[in-house]
Amino acid sequence: MEAMHAATNRIPFPRLAVLLLLVAIAAAQPLPVAPPPDDAGCNGVLLTYTFEGRERIRPFLDPATEAESQPYSFRASTTVLNSGVRTLPSWALVLTFVHGEILVGVDGAVLTSGADLPYNTTAAPTTTTSFSGYPQTDLLTPIATAGDLSKIQATVRLFGTLFAGPEPLVPLPSALSLADPAYNCSPLATAATTTLPTCCVLKSPDQVAAERPAGSAAASYLPRVAGDLVITYDVLQAHESTYLALVTLENDAPMGRLDGWELSWEWQRGEFVNTMRGAYPRQVDASECLFGPQGQYYKDIDFSKVLNCERRPAVFDLPPERRQDASMGQIEHCCRNGTLLPKSMGDGTQSVSAFQMEVYKMPPDVNRTSRLHAPANFRVSGASPLNPEYACGQPVPVSPSEFLDPSGLDSTTLAVASWQVSCNITVDDTTKPAKPPQCCVSFSSFNDESVVPCNTCACGCPAPAMRTCSATAPAMLLPPYALLMPFERRDKEALKWAHDKELGAPPDPLPCGDMCGVSVNWHLATDAAGGWSARMTLFNWEESDMRDWFTSVVLDDKVYGGFEQAYSFNATAAGNSTIFMRGREGFDVLIKESNLSGVDYPVPGKQQSVLSFTKKTSPGDVDVVRRDGFPTKVFFNGEECAMPQRIPSHGVGLRTSRAALALLLLLYLVLAAQHIGV
């Protein structure tokens, strides 16, 4: 009986196979796309911020007195829905948080600034926080996709900490908008709710007509970017599990330079670097692959030969002797010790650096048809304290780069895919202490015996525990020869000079030195009716030579137009009242400090040149001696130097003239008395 019952309940094999197949197909289906938010009639780009909840976390504070400072973990999401007729390439949205939000996790986007997590949104340099879409960087139009939500909508999920009072307060941001300046976004509703919607529409409807056809290959390309430094990420070859990338750094800053550059980025999809030519990782380490998902997926790879598996690898340029190395070099624009000069220094080839790397992909991107993704959060820095600091944006897809045929044929090869990153020199970053200058300027003049030295602590001060000098006392006037002496020798000369020239009582304690590795002296040499001249001297107090140095001065408009030539430097009137100078061939190295001068103290390496100016183009009120003959700004290797707080006042010369006048008057009186007595 039991056997008969079992037989009647047994499912035939063909039917069972079909059932299992249906179950497998259902399990393999992608998760349904979240339904679109209520668009409220938005025919542009609908942004929706949804606060999903919060939980009180420790430390628990007294609700009676510290309720507004209580920390909570929170969850939120932002949806970007393109309901318009214009493709939204490389979309980015901007949120203004007002409850001390600290972002711990971000999914569906990356911080546009490239900052690390956790990220304090209210302690940032700006009051807004920008998110760039990743990996879904482009949102197509409903018309071009038949309303496919997976192609016209993206969701950013946020997880972090905030500080606010208890419920029913809903801690929402105060502003939500697109970063694209072509759009205007509607004001946010003030009603108490957990959702904030805003509709962003094009400022000018004419921009729609300029849009490329939605089906064209170039529909999602953005214009090539501009910046002080541009990073281009080109995929040259793409295979099922790997691709070959060419990374190019191009210096477009007119006065900026990098020495010993280091570049880093963050992989977002589990990628790792197998081989590299033209650069090398700062750390060769495959441990993260061995004990991670990469090692589980690529079981046949010998990871001892893999270069780097860090999520944020850092790489540097190779030295020149590796340029022709068959395994590490032979990449155009590689191997110059990481030096990137401004394009004004030559034909532009020294402003470009490049390297190649083979990148392994991870599922779900391991197939030929999967979309390629560039890494995010690029950072670049230089090894020299004279190098500027950069802030980089996120990669944007651009039209594929073109490469000349290596055989010399009149043909070009396109990259498989290209992205560009714009990096700009940072000026003011309120989150970091102000970076002190690395060079300073002193002034002197033909009609004044004293030199106005660099400012006290112009490039920083000694540590307070070791300080025996004053960080606030003004720098003392110096004799010209003291410019060749180190700081510790100048005090004695300054005291003697002040005594001999009757410059008044010195401060007690004496002022600290300028502490600069490079100093510049601008000496007003002559002033005549038809023209004038100045002598510029560069001093290198560092312990290493400075190759391919350059400098520039900004002068008053009254005298800039009269610049004629520099006699020992290559000089060019570069516009904006700026004269750009660099060393002539054979004199382009500013040597380091040395002890080979025959004196018992080290002296700096130095170079100098006389500059001549005519007054034919200057207005009649030009006053070279009192102000117009001294620069308002001086730059060395792109770094702005600290300027002195005064110019030569001709005080010593004036006292000498008065003494001479008194002597002449006394002689006259003596002679007159003798004449009367006779």
Side-chain angles (χ1 to χ4, degrees), residues 652-670:
V652 174
L654 182 61
R655 278 188 291 274
T656 303
S657 300
R658 287 176 176 172
L661 181 61
L663 181 61
L664 288 174
L665 180 59
L666 178 62
L667 181 61
Y668 171 78
L669 292 175
V670 170

Side-chain angles (χ1 to χ4, degrees), residues 414-487:
L414 296 181
V416 177
S418 298
W419 294 263
Q420 285 192 316
V421 178
S422 175
C423 301
N424 290 293
I425 296 172
T426 57
V427 179
D428 296 312
D429 187 346
T430 57
T431 65
K432 299 178 181 179
K435 178 185 175 183
Q438 302 298 315
C439 55
C440 65
V441 179
S442 62
F443 284 157
S444 55
S445 178
F446 67 91
N447 61 349
D448 195 330
E449 293 178 291
S450 296
V451 174
V452 176
C454 292
N455 297 333
T456 301
C457 295
C459 299
C461 277
M466 303 175 60
R467 188 184 303 164
T468 59
C469 54
S470 170
T472 57
M476 297 177 62
L477 297 177
L478 296 173
Y481 58 83
L483 292 176
L484 287 168
M485 295 181 173
F487 309 135

Side-chain angles (χ1 to χ4, degrees), residues 31-39 46 48 50 77-81 147-150 152-155 157:
L31 294 175
V33 178
D38 183 9
D39 64 8
L46 179 65
T48 307
T50 303
S77 62
T78 302
T79 301
V80 185
L81 174 64
D148 186 346
L149 285 178
S150 66
I152 67 174
Q153 176 180 295
T155 300
R157 302 195 180 279

